Amino acid sequence: MRFRYPYLFVFSLIFMAASSQYIPKFDVQGHRGARGLRPENTIPAFLAALDTGVTTLELDVVITKDKQVVVSHEPWMSAAICLDSTGIPIAEKNEKKYNIYQMTYDEVKLFDCGSKGNEKFPEQQKMRVAKPLLGDVIAAVETQIKNLNSYEVDYNIEIKSSPQDEKKFQPTIEEYSDLVYNLVNEYIPMDRLVIQSFDFRVLQYWHKKYPDIRLAALVENTKSIDANLKDLGFKPSVYSPYFKLINKEKVHYLHQEKIRVIPWTVNEVSDMLSLKGMGVDGIITDYPDRARKYKMTLNIGRK
């Protein structure tokens, strides 16, 4: 059982994975940590998300030239949020030249992806911070959990993959996936891992090679649920659509299929409340602090 502390048992309910792991009744996932509050996919963002009482940390990973697993949404240095190694802004037309797959991590960590801020998230606190290694993120999170005697969160890791990017911005799916699996396996029990992807080839590989790992199908297309599940070839643990693509009837249908529903990226309180009313199993949000105000997160983090 994943709960170390008896008083947390009250938060386990309803759904159980194949490993008999208890899963919270409502799973609030901090998107890229807490992108609305701290620079995305950085250790400060993940620690801030913990403080709001999230049950899952959502993040993205890419691979460096020296086969390190780095937490980053793009496999390059985004001009929207990063400064180069000398502190100079990156031109949008040149951002893909800063290809993380062609850089060592020693080169990657010289870039500042927090001081510039993100104009789409005015509440985000600016700070000088580099893209971290996945291992360093997990170590920092687990240390904070231990120090606070807090709840052991899950990690929902997105593998950013597309056929046209293979061997240019990413390794093969097989190598990519195995690097992530082996790294995570060094740090935490694998029943706390969820792998998500828009690229169904990734999920199919994990389903075959690592059948005990929970998988989440990310969806942004307007195909029917049945069409997407047919393309995938199996029933995932989680169906994770863009939040505007889901409704009560679809939630009910997916629950009949024993599939949990966790839409993305839900930032407005009105949408959070509406989706919760539809019966979704959780939300992915840049603002877990907003969900906390409506008692959707666990009330055991720091305020």
Side-chain angles (χ1 to χ4, degrees), residues 165-207:
D165 285 347
E166 284 192 43
K167 300 185 180 180
K168 180 181 180 182
F169 290 107
Q170 66 175 77
T172 63
I173 286 174
E174 294 80 7
E175 182 181 12
Y176 201 161
S177 298
D178 293 344
L179 285 168
V180 173
Y181 180 92
N182 292 333
L183 188 283
V184 175
N185 196 36
E186 293 179 11
Y187 287 88
I188 60 170
M190 299 304 278
D191 62 0
R192 291 173 57 196
L193 173 66
V194 178
I195 292 294
Q196 63 177 354
S197 189
F198 288 101
D199 187 344
F200 284 2
R201 299 175 307 149
V202 171
L203 302 180
Q204 289 160 354
Y205 178 77
W206 281 76
H207 180 65

Side-chain angles (χ1 to χ4, degrees), residues 2 7 17 26 40 70 72 93 96-97 99 103 105 113 132 160 162 182 189 193 195 200 207 214 216 260 275 280 293:
R2 68 179 289 185
Y7 64 87
F26 196 75
E40 67 177 62
V70 174
S72 175
K93 65 180 181 180
K96 292 186 179 180
K97 294 180 180 179
N99 182 352
M103 301 165 67
Y105 184 67
C113 296
K160 311 292 296 184
S162 65
N182 292 333
L193 173 66
I195 292 294
F200 284 2
H207 180 65
R214 287 176 288 155
R260 303 176 75 225
L275 288 160
V280 299
K293 290 180 180 178

Side-chain angles (χ1 to χ4, degrees), residues 58-245:
E58 191 274 352
L59 59 148
D60 316 90
V61 293
V62 299
I63 307 299
T64 63
K65 182 179 181 180
D66 52 344
K67 310 301 181 184
Q68 300 297 304
V69 183
V70 174
V71 182
S72 175
H73 185 260
E74 294 84 17
W76 56 78
M77 295 295 172
S78 170
I81 62 172
C82 293
L83 304 176
D84 72 13
S85 58
T86 65
I88 303 299
I90 296 170
E92 185 175 357
K93 65 180 181 180
N94 294 328
E95 64 180 5
K96 292 186 179 180
K97 294 180 180 179
Y98 298 92
N99 182 352
I100 294 173
Y101 187 51
Q102 299 301 326
M103 301 165 67
T104 66
Y105 184 67
D106 282 344
E107 294 172 313
V108 169
K109 68 183 182 182
L110 296 177
F111 288 75
D112 175 5
C113 296
S115 295
K116 183 176 181 179
N118 187 326
E119 63 181 14
K120 295 180 179 180
F121 299 94
E123 297 176 38
Q124 185 187 102
Q125 182 179 336
K126 297 179 181 180
M127 60 183 72
R128 181 178 177 82
V129 66
K131 292 181 182 292
L133 292 169
L134 176 59
D136 289 344
V137 168
I138 298 175
V141 168
E142 296 303 304
T143 296
Q144 177 151 317
I145 289 171
K146 181 178 179 180
N147 288 343
L148 295 179
N149 289 335
S150 192
Y151 179 80
E152 293 180 330
V153 295
D154 288 339
Y155 295 83
N156 184 13
I157 298 178
E158 180 178 351
I159 292 185
K160 311 292 296 184
S161 174
S162 65
Q164 60 268 29
D165 285 347
E166 284 192 43
K167 300 185 180 180
K168 180 181 180 182
F169 290 107
Q170 66 175 77
T172 63
I173 286 174
E174 294 80 7
E175 182 181 12
Y176 201 161
S177 298
D178 293 344
L179 285 168
V180 173
Y181 180 92
N182 292 333
L183 188 283
V184 175
N185 196 36
E186 293 179 11
Y187 287 88
I188 60 170
M190 299 304 278
D191 62 0
R192 291 173 57 196
L193 173 66
V194 178
I195 292 294
Q196 63 177 354
S197 189
F198 288 101
D199 187 344
F200 284 2
R201 299 175 307 149
V202 171
L203 302 180
Q204 289 160 354
Y205 178 77
W206 281 76
H207 180 65
K208 182 177 180 180
K209 185 164 185 180
Y210 306 113
D212 293 334
I213 302 300
R214 287 176 288 155
L215 303 175
L218 288 169
V219 174
E220 60 182 346
N221 62 61
T222 56
K223 294 181 182 179
S224 69
I225 293 170
D226 284 339
N228 279 318
L229 293 180
K230 183 178 180 181
D231 289 344
L232 182 58
F234 64 91
K235 292 182 182 180
S237 297
V238 178
Y239 193 84
S240 192
Y242 176 49
F243 79 95
K244 291 187 178 180
L245 297 176

